[in-house]
Amino acid sequence: MSDRLLIFDTTLRDGEQAPGIALSPTEKVAIARQLARLQVDIIEAGFAASSPGDFEAVSRIAREVKGPTIASLARTHPDDIDKAAEAIKEAESRRIHVFISTSAIHMESMLRMTESEVMTAVVESVKRAKSYCDDIEFSPQDATRTNPDFVVATCQAAVKAGATTINIPDTVGYAMPADFVELMTRVYNEVRAGNEDVVISTHCHNDLGMAVANSLSAIHAGARQIEGAINGIGERAGNTSTEEIIMAIKTREDYFGVEIGADTTQIVETSRLVSRLTGYPLQYNKAVVGRNAFAHESGIHQHGVLRDRLTYEIMDPEMIGHHSSIILGKHSGRAAFADALSKMDINLEDDDFTRAFDRFKELADRKGKITEEGIRAIVAAETGVATDEAKLVGIHLSGGDHELPTAVVKLDHGDGEIAEYEASGDGMVNAAFVAVQDAFGILATLVDYRVSPLTSGADAMAEVNVIIQIESETYSGRGVSTDVVEGSARAFVAALNKAVGAATIFTTEE
Ligand code: KIV
Ligand code: ZN
């Protein structure tokens, strides 16, 4: 048995299925590039047949991101497989991941298919996928609630049809470590027999908080691929956390005895990027990447760590990419800003650099000092913006108390012409939202709105993340400011710019 464990990251597919996440293709490419720096083995870039946006994102990642194998998910439908194959065709190394449900409840209530119909679909779809590429993964969805004999039978049929990885999903997070090991051992012994090159994989959900434990327990049963998502994002309670798996294997090499290829120093950066772009904040006590993961509060602990870090720390913070904090001030110039970015491993194109630097100067003038977190937030908000997109130039607020809150926003529509839009609303943020909608001439619904402080103190800088809905599509946007209403207006403008951009892509494609 090989002692190399493959890390399969599905942040961009299963992770992105979490409620309220709406990543644009450009944001997905940015995350995929960072996953490549983290050196995961496989990136599941999306579900190409699910929407034109997903197809575009998978195709761009396949074309632009080098290093890991790029996978697309597909149902057993011929059209799904053809679209997956088309989307990944330019990847250096590619995989099609075919799945179908095998539990009685899913087959009866969702698929309305019999066992024998499911079996036929497995064989035909894997064969079709194999006609496009060699590397095929098969997953019997809801495996842990499926009759184990049927799990084994479908997996054996998939391997016979050409599958090279067999993935066992605990789709609803139902399994306990001991029964998961039992199922994995059966699959290992009965599916891999005579097919020693086939890799057995796990894909666990976290409904009962067992995802990481179940995935790791499968290593002793022969699993050599674990699927996860950064920060554990995903459907309902989420997926196995990729970063927790990586650090468990690295920290307890003595126990697991397997090797992985990940560059652990990229973990913090990857986690922050995913949190920022998805708008999903990290819980403070999140394992490995939470803000308290290396904080010591009690006097006894602090005393111990000062004497010897190993008294209360099992991981070296530098190993996962924490480094001493960078702080810039209003006197910092382009060179200092560029130096800080390079220490943070951030490389920007000229236009993006100029936008981020100008915004940094504006905020540093108001705020004095900007921390590393603030710089990252500015970069995230100001980069990847096309030069012809609308920009917020100013905002003026009036009213409140007994008068109707009113916002006047000044917008440069991307052509240098500045126009003013005035609106009133139920509170300042609402007034700003209505004025920005008027500026774009688009009616949107605000479905999610979050403010995260980037620094402490009354003059704290805040990052605002919004998700808006226009008809059935959702778009995210973020803004950074020392003023929450201005930050909100910036976030609304960013989200509406995305909506306009998406409309342009899809109208020109059709
Ligand atoms: O949870 C699940 O069953 C899945 C499959 C598509 C692998 O995500
Ligand atoms: Zn899943």
Side-chain angles (χ1 to χ4, degrees):
M1 190 195 337
S2 150
D3 58 5
R4 173 75 195 265
L5 178 87
L6 301 173
I7 302 291
F8 176 114
D9 187 89
T10 184
T11 307
L12 295 172
R13 197 278 297 170
D14 214 342
E16 213 244 354
Q17 283 173 224
I21 297 184
L23 296 170
S24 68
T26 303
E27 289 171 328
K28 289 186 186 173
V29 173
I31 291 177
R33 283 191 203 285
Q34 183 55 35
L35 289 169
R37 277 183 220 117
L38 178 61
Q39 291 175 27
V40 301
D41 299 284
I42 301 111
I43 295 175
E44 188 162 50
F47 180 177
S50 67
S51 70
D54 242 41
F55 184 86
E56 193 209 335
V58 179
S59 313
R60 279 189 57 190
I61 291 168
R63 199 161 46 240
E64 297 173 31
V65 179
K66 305 293 169 211
T69 295
I70 307 300
S72 171
L73 186 71
R75 290 170 298 185
T76 51
H77 305 179
D79 187 48
D80 271 33
I81 292 168
D82 299 348
K83 286 223 169 69
E86 176 66 21
I88 58 171
K89 69 175 188 223
E90 290 188 60
E92 279 173 348
S93 162
R94 52 187 176 272
R95 171 179 297 187
I96 299 177
H97 177 188
V98 180
F99 79 101
I100 190 167
S101 289
T102 49
S103 64
I105 178 149
H106 279 214
M107 289 190 298
E108 280 162 30
S109 310
M110 275 175 24
L111 299 178
R112 302 195 189 281
M113 284 167 85
T114 62
E115 281 196 353
S116 100
E117 285 166 339
V118 166
M119 195 60 119
T120 307
V122 171
V123 173
E124 285 177 0
S125 60
V126 172
K127 282 189 178 158
R128 188 175 188 101
K130 195 77 178 178
S131 71
Y132 289 113
C133 77
D134 282 339
D135 187 345
I136 306 299
E137 174 168 329
F138 169 69
S139 296
Q141 190 175 35
D142 204 14
T144 52
R145 292 193 302 167
T146 300
N147 173 354
D149 292 340
F150 193 50
V151 172
V152 169
T154 50
C155 292
Q156 284 171 335
V159 168
K160 207 158 161 225
T164 44
T165 297
I166 292 296
N167 178 47
I168 303 300
D170 182 22
T171 305
V172 289
Y174 182 71
M176 292 292 131
D179 36 89
F180 195 55
V181 166
E182 203 179 311
L183 177 63
M184 293 301 290
T185 307
R186 255 199 89 176
V187 171
Y188 184 82
N189 291 334
E190 297 176 37
V191 176
R192 224 173 148 264
N195 301 291
E196 272 71 30
D197 290 340
V198 168
V199 173
I200 306 297
S201 165
T202 73
H203 174 108
C204 298
H205 281 264
N206 207 29
D207 299 63
L208 293 172
M210 299 283 173
V212 170
N214 281 336
S215 302
L216 292 171
S217 71
I219 295 175
H220 290 310
R224 286 298 177 269
Q225 174 177 287
I226 292 183
E227 302 196 356
I230 297 293
N231 301 336
I233 59 171
E235 290 277 6
R236 308 178 310 279
N239 283 75
T240 299
S241 290
T242 301
E243 71 281 5
E244 290 180 26
I245 294 295
I246 293 174
M247 286 317 292
I249 305 285
K250 290 276 187 190
T251 310
R252 296 302 311 271
E253 255 168 355
D254 60 320
Y255 180 78
F256 292 110
V258 290
E259 282 169 16
I260 50 173
D263 176 358
T264 59
T265 63
Q266 295 294 327
I267 286 179
V268 166
E269 179 57 26
T270 315
S271 163
R272 284 178 175 157
L273 181 71
V274 169
S275 170
R276 185 153 291 136
L277 295 186
T278 56
Y280 263 47
L282 279 182
Q283 78 197 53
Y284 288 167
N285 60 332
K286 164 84 176 62
V288 181
V289 287
R291 117 176 175 186
N292 293 353
F294 295 95
H296 303 278
E297 181 70 16
S298 106
I300 298 174
H301 289 212
Q302 287 177 353
H303 180 72
V305 172
L306 286 175
R307 286 272 170 89
D308 181 347
R309 188 184 63 74
L310 295 178
T311 50
Y312 286 98
E313 277 181 6
I314 58 165
M315 295 170 270
D316 181 347
E318 286 195 11
M319 183 180 171
I320 63 162
H322 279 296
H323 39 76
S324 48
S325 231
I326 294 164
I327 297 186
L328 295 181
K330 59 180 175 187
H331 300 300
S332 308
R334 291 180 81 90
F337 189 68
D339 183 55
L341 294 188
S342 107
K343 286 194 180 118
M344 290 185 243
D345 262 341
I346 299 176
N347 296 307
L348 298 183
E349 302 290 331
D350 288 353
D351 277 357
D352 282 342
F353 180 90
T354 306
R355 286 179 71 98
F357 178 68
D358 290 349
R359 183 85 184 118
F360 156 75
K361 284 303 267 186
E362 240 177 82
L363 286 165
D365 269 347
R366 281 197 238 166
K367 169 109 190 83
K369 293 207 177 340
I370 309 259
T371 60
E372 182 175 334
E373 238 188 322
I375 299 169
R376 284 183 195 281
I378 292 169
V379 168
E382 297 299 323
T383 53
V385 180
T387 38
D388 59 353
E389 285 185 356
K391 291 169 222 46
L392 185 82
V393 180
I395 181 163
H396 176 75
L397 304 166
S398 58
D401 273 344
H402 300 294
E403 279 176 60
L404 200 58
T406 302
V408 179
V409 299
K410 279 194 197 167
L411 211 76
D412 170 350
H413 280 278
D415 50 9
E417 294 287 315
I418 296 173
E420 280 192 8
Y421 302 87
E422 179 175 332
S424 301
D426 179 11
M428 293 300 182
V429 171
N430 182 245
F433 184 46
V434 178
V436 171
Q437 283 186 87
D438 288 351
F440 280 80
I442 294 177
L443 207 58
T445 312
L446 183 61
V447 289
D448 199 16
Y449 175 80
R450 274 174 234 177
V451 182
S452 327
L454 291 171
T455 45
S456 53
D459 61 345
M461 242 171 72
E463 178 176 9
V464 181
N465 283 281
V466 300
I467 297 179
I468 59 165
Q469 185 167 355
I470 299 167
E471 293 172 3
S472 61
E473 298 297 325
T474 52
Y475 306 91
S476 62
R478 78 189 73 81
V480 179
S481 178
T482 48
D483 178 90
V484 172
V485 183
E486 186 198 306
S488 308
R490 287 182 180 276
F492 298 145
V493 170
L496 280 155
N497 269 327
K498 266 192 209 165
V500 172
T504 322
I505 296 172
F506 299 128
T507 0
T508 40
E509 263 180 2
E510 275 156 18

